[in-house]
Amino acid sequence: MTQLFLTVTFAIEIKPMNLILFDDARREHLLPFTFTRACCDLRVGISTIREKWEQVLSIASSTLTTDYLSKKFHLKTAADNLFINGRLLPDKELIKAINALQPRQQLIKDEVVLAARMGEDNSNYLTAFDQLAKINYDGSATLVNNSWDIFKLNDAAIRSDFARMTHRKISASIDASNHAMEPGNIFIEAGAKVMCAVLNASTGPIYIAKDAEVMEGCMIRGPFALGEQAVLKMGAKVYGATTIGNGCKVGGEVSNSVMYANSNKAHDGFLGNSVIGEWCNLGADTNNSNLKNNYSEVKAWSYADNDYVNTSLQFCGLMMGDHSKCGINTMFNTGTVVGVCANIFGAGFPKKFIPSFYWGSADESEMFLIDKAIDLARRVYERRGKTFDADDKALLEHLFMMQLKPGE
């Protein structure tokens, strides 16, 4: 039956301004994912943070980020610029407070700049913020502070995105071959294929984007989001709160995880409380631990602290940066962090921190040569009908030099 969604949304008309989403110093705590993207391009919930702000404000955005990423993510300034922290998730009261900002004012909470309004400036914008009048924000503000917050915040973010994205829209009908619980909490976009699946939306909303496919025998518990042209393979078991990004192919068992675009976990194996970047591939029967045997809180590698830190989470799995891959039967320990362009294979548990461009097993490894890494990335792009361009190449070359000469 066709469903009409009348969920209350929080879209608010905002003054016409030039929208800039900025990275602050906390971006270092969001590595390895911010090696290859600005903070605002992190996916939390159904959409990225950038997409959320552009949707609720109806304004296109540009990006103020670290120098090497600015070559790919450009900054566009104007006479009246609205800066919003790229780690910040929108909500109704926050949007009202941002809309109330006057020129040369900034919105602050707990010493963190949430938003600022100013004209063009010849100096560093982040430094220029210090010269603006401070407006303290007393409401709640949700910021992505650490990489594991991506899956930690995913439940609430899916619910919020679902309410906004389905507001006054009509879902495609749910095929009679499916077993759907709480069908009014399920939204299927045009062109999606969902056949012979169990869709349990009593625990949270289920969102299936256009041209995605849920194959027969899949069991899904919300909150859940499946991106455009993504495929959930036969017999997959997915627990909320899980997001599978555009173009991903996923099978086996997945729980409370976020997979970015064009990554694969196409076979059996468990992925839980994890974040997987773009262009990754998990070999058949790859498993990760998300709970320690003694039930203690999990420690994970922090690039910012150059050490393992306590996540304060009992459940924490795998954080894998873009372009990384692992062989069949790979076993990841709790709180494992993998950098960019790593290739992991062999018996036994790999180390809990695997640097970028690492190639090898738990016992033996070497650097993945940059020419081979670029060639592999180019071929993977081509398989999906995409072009690996000069900016992509320059980005990987820069990250390779960062790995060879840390701190430069």
Side-chain angles (χ1 to χ4, degrees):
M1 184 176 67
T2 299
Q3 300 116 54
L4 176 63
F5 287 79
L6 298 175
T7 312
V8 176
T9 186
F10 52 75
I12 296 175
E13 183 178 353
I14 200 159
K15 300 169 185 175
M17 284 178 268
N18 180 53
L19 177 60
I20 299 172
L21 300 169
F22 69 90
D23 286 357
D24 61 11
R26 192 74 195 181
R27 74 178 309 279
E28 299 295 316
H29 293 265
L30 298 171
L31 298 172
F33 306 107
T34 50
F35 273 135
T36 49
R37 58 178 58 79
C39 295
C40 61
D41 292 310
L42 295 170
R43 187 175 299 277
V44 188
I46 300 173
S47 59
T48 66
I49 300 174
R50 182 193 301 277
E51 290 167 344
K52 298 180 203 306
W53 282 109
E54 290 185 343
Q55 288 166 4
V56 299
L57 302 183
S58 299
I59 308 174
S61 66
S62 68
T63 314
L64 176 60
T65 184
T66 191
D67 287 346
Y68 79 87
L69 284 177
S70 64
K71 298 172 184 176
K72 184 173 181 179
F73 302 95
H74 303 294
L75 172 65
K76 177 185 176 183
T77 60
D80 190 5
N81 299 299
L82 175 62
F83 293 84
I84 295 179
N85 194 313
R87 301 186 291 112
L88 180 64
L89 304 188
D91 66 53
K92 184 177 180 179
E93 295 306 314
L94 186 58
I95 295 168
K96 288 181 180 179
I98 291 173
N99 198 31
L101 283 175
Q102 299 301 309
R104 301 200 61 77
Q105 288 184 342
Q106 58 178 321
L107 193 65
I108 301 287
K109 185 175 179 63
D110 300 328
E111 304 301 319
V112 176
V113 179
L114 302 180
R117 186 177 173 190
M118 63 185 298
E120 293 186 292
D121 194 286
N122 293 326
S123 63
N124 182 299
Y125 275 103
L126 296 182
T127 302
F129 287 173
D130 294 337
Q131 309 303 315
L132 305 182
K134 293 183 178 180
I135 307 296
N136 288 312
Y137 182 62
D138 295 329
S140 61
T142 303
L143 289 149
V144 183
N145 292 315
N146 300 288
S147 59
W148 46 86
D149 286 345
I150 295 170
F151 69 78
K152 180 181 175 183
L153 297 172
N154 206 46
D155 186 302
I158 289 177
R159 295 174 193 270
S160 176
D161 286 349
F162 186 89
R164 182 184 70 255
M165 295 171 66
T166 63
H167 181 60
R168 296 190 180 278
K169 292 184 178 180
I170 299 174
S171 171
S173 60
I174 299 173
D175 189 88
S177 67
N178 297 292
H179 180 61
M181 288 160 273
E182 297 290 341
N185 217 16
I186 299 170
F187 192 93
I188 302 174
E189 289 191 0
K193 300 177 182 178
V194 186
M195 302 283 289
C196 303
V198 176
L199 308 172
N200 182 2
S202 67
T203 53
I206 294 175
Y207 186 90
I208 312 295
K210 67 179 183 179
D211 300 325
E213 182 176 8
V214 177
M215 292 184 175
E216 52 271 29
C218 290
M219 295 181 287
I220 301 170
R221 288 174 63 92
F224 173 73
L226 186 65
E228 293 183 14
Q229 298 182 324
V231 177
L232 199 60
K233 301 190 74 176
M234 288 193 300
K237 297 178 290 185
V238 184
Y239 303 83
T242 292
T243 298
I244 297 172
N246 299 349
C248 290
K249 296 179 181 179
V250 173
E253 184 178 5
V254 182
S255 176
N256 189 200
S257 295
V258 177
M259 292 184 67
Y260 286 18
N262 300 304
S263 288
N264 294 334
K265 179 202 172 299
H267 305 285
D268 285 345
F270 174 73
L271 182 72
N273 302 96
S274 297
V275 183
I276 307 297
E278 292 190 55
W279 305 107
C280 296
N281 189 75
L282 305 182
D285 202 33
T286 291
N287 290 277
N288 81 274
S289 169
N290 63 341
L291 175 67
K292 297 174 69 174
N293 286 344
N294 62 4
Y295 296 85
S296 62
E297 293 179 342
V298 177
K299 290 185 176 182
W301 180 261
S302 166
Y303 288 89
D305 296 292
N306 197 35
D307 200 357
Y308 292 94
V309 299
N310 189 355
T311 65
S312 300
L313 298 174
Q314 191 177 54
F315 289 88
C316 184
L318 171 65
M319 310 287 122
M320 177 178 278
D322 291 6
H323 297 285
S324 287
K325 297 167 177 59
C326 67
I328 63 172
N329 298 315
T330 302
M331 301 181 295
F332 289 106
N333 230 317
T334 48
T336 295
V337 175
V338 180
V340 174
C341 288
N343 198 324
I344 305 140
F345 50 85
F349 284 93
K351 297 175 182 178
K352 283 192 62 174
F353 171 53
I354 299 170
S356 297
F357 298 95
Y358 171 106
W359 177 288
S361 65
D363 300 321
E364 186 175 356
S365 66
E366 57 184 300
M367 285 287 286
F368 189 9
L369 297 179
I370 185 59
D371 289 346
K372 291 185 177 180
I374 289 171
D375 181 62
L376 175 57
R378 183 177 287 112
R379 283 187 276 123
V380 170
Y381 272 52
E382 288 173 353
R383 288 183 69 242
R384 297 295 181 94
K386 299 184 181 296
T387 301
F388 185 83
D389 62 23
D391 287 338
D392 296 318
K393 180 175 181 289
L395 176 55
L396 291 191
E397 288 173 337
H398 180 86
L399 295 175
F400 183 76
M401 294 307 298
M402 284 176 60
Q403 185 62 34
L404 283 181
K405 300 177 181 179
E408 292 190 11

